[in-house]
Amino acid sequence: MTDGGAYRVIFETERLVVREMTEDDMEALAAILKDPEVMYAYGHDFTDGDVREWLCRQRARYAQYGFGLWAVTLKGSPFMIGQAGLTMQPYKGGEVLEAGWLLNKTYWRRGYAREAAAGCKRHAFGALGADRLCSIIKADNAASIKVAESIGMTKADEFITRYYGGDMFHYLYAVDKYAARI
């Protein structure tokens, strides 16, 4: 079923299992990353090579940090419906711990992104002992802003950052552990 026959579950929520991605997730990952509607915030069309690189980068993050973007599955199903997780992201000359989420558009508007993001927040503040969690969100991404706010994040900064498609206006949303409702 998976490369090596097993995968590591990171956490579960009421409806979701969040686990490390494996080679078996490549097709589902490609469906997400190659969908222009899902990936509009990146301003870049993803190729098969980009998808492979994305998966390899997550697996390298698991080895280096013990976290990265993980597969999101519905309980009782091994099929990846999206990804959510924690990554270290560059921000103003340093790095921030970021929670991120991307779902296959078939699963939008069902509360799964919020549920996965809340689980990431609990994992960051609990298992990792982080003091602050951020999300870097393209300024026109109303759905992700809504998810960030629903887990207690507030807008902490506005800035321009460079992605594949050039310079883009972004917000930094953040929540501190001691102010958070975990």
Side-chain angles (χ1 to χ4, degrees), residues 37-39 102-112:
E37 191 175 353
V38 173
M39 299 301 290
L102 278 172
L103 293 179
N104 183 304
K105 70 182 169 200
T106 303
Y107 299 92
W108 287 2
R109 294 177 194 83
R110 298 181 191 187
Y112 295 137

Side-chain angles (χ1 to χ4, degrees), residues 85-108:
L86 304 167
T87 58
M88 298 305 298
Q89 292 295 323
Y91 171 71
K92 293 193 172 179
E95 286 186 321
V96 295
L97 178 63
E98 182 192 36
W101 47 86
L102 278 172
L103 293 179
N104 183 304
K105 70 182 169 200
T106 303
Y107 299 92
W108 287 2

Side-chain angles (χ1 to χ4, degrees), residues 86-164:
L86 304 167
T87 58
M88 298 305 298
Q89 292 295 323
Y91 171 71
K92 293 193 172 179
E95 286 186 321
V96 295
L97 178 63
E98 182 192 36
W101 47 86
L102 278 172
L103 293 179
N104 183 304
K105 70 182 169 200
T106 303
Y107 299 92
W108 287 2
R109 294 177 194 83
R110 298 181 191 187
Y112 295 137
R114 186 218 172 277
E115 196 170 322
C120 288
K121 181 176 97 171
R122 283 189 299 275
H123 188 78
F125 291 151
L128 300 182
D131 292 327
R132 187 172 200 228
L133 183 62
C134 300
S135 285
I136 297 170
I137 302 171
K138 192 167 179 244
D140 64 353
N141 190 339
S144 282
I145 290 169
K146 185 176 178 181
V147 169
E149 290 175 345
S150 77
I151 64 165
M153 291 183 161
T154 56
K155 186 167 61 169
D157 196 8
E158 300 177 357
F159 61 101
I160 303 292
T161 192
R162 179 168 287 277
Y163 280 109
Y164 300 98

Side-chain angles (χ1 to χ4, degrees), residues 13-88:
T13 66
E14 182 181 339
R15 301 178 294 168
L16 306 173
V17 174
V18 176
R19 61 165 173 80
E20 289 184 347
M21 281 191 258
T22 71
E23 290 293 323
D24 289 348
D25 296 313
M26 186 64 80
E27 186 176 333
L29 181 61
I32 295 164
L33 297 181
K34 293 173 96 176
D35 184 329
E37 191 175 353
V38 173
M39 299 301 290
Y40 88 95
Y42 285 79
H44 172 74
D45 291 329
F46 281 70
T47 65
D48 289 338
D50 293 332
V51 175
R52 162 104 9 234
E53 183 180 319
W54 186 283
L55 178 61
C56 289
R57 186 169 46 250
Q58 301 324 310
R59 296 184 67 173
R61 286 173 169 158
Y62 304 158
Q64 180 178 0
Y65 299 110
F67 56 84
L69 294 174
W70 302 301
V72 175
T73 66
L74 297 175
K75 282 189 173 175
S77 169
F79 181 74
M80 180 178 155
I81 66 164
Q83 60 180 354
L86 304 167
T87 58
M88 298 305 298

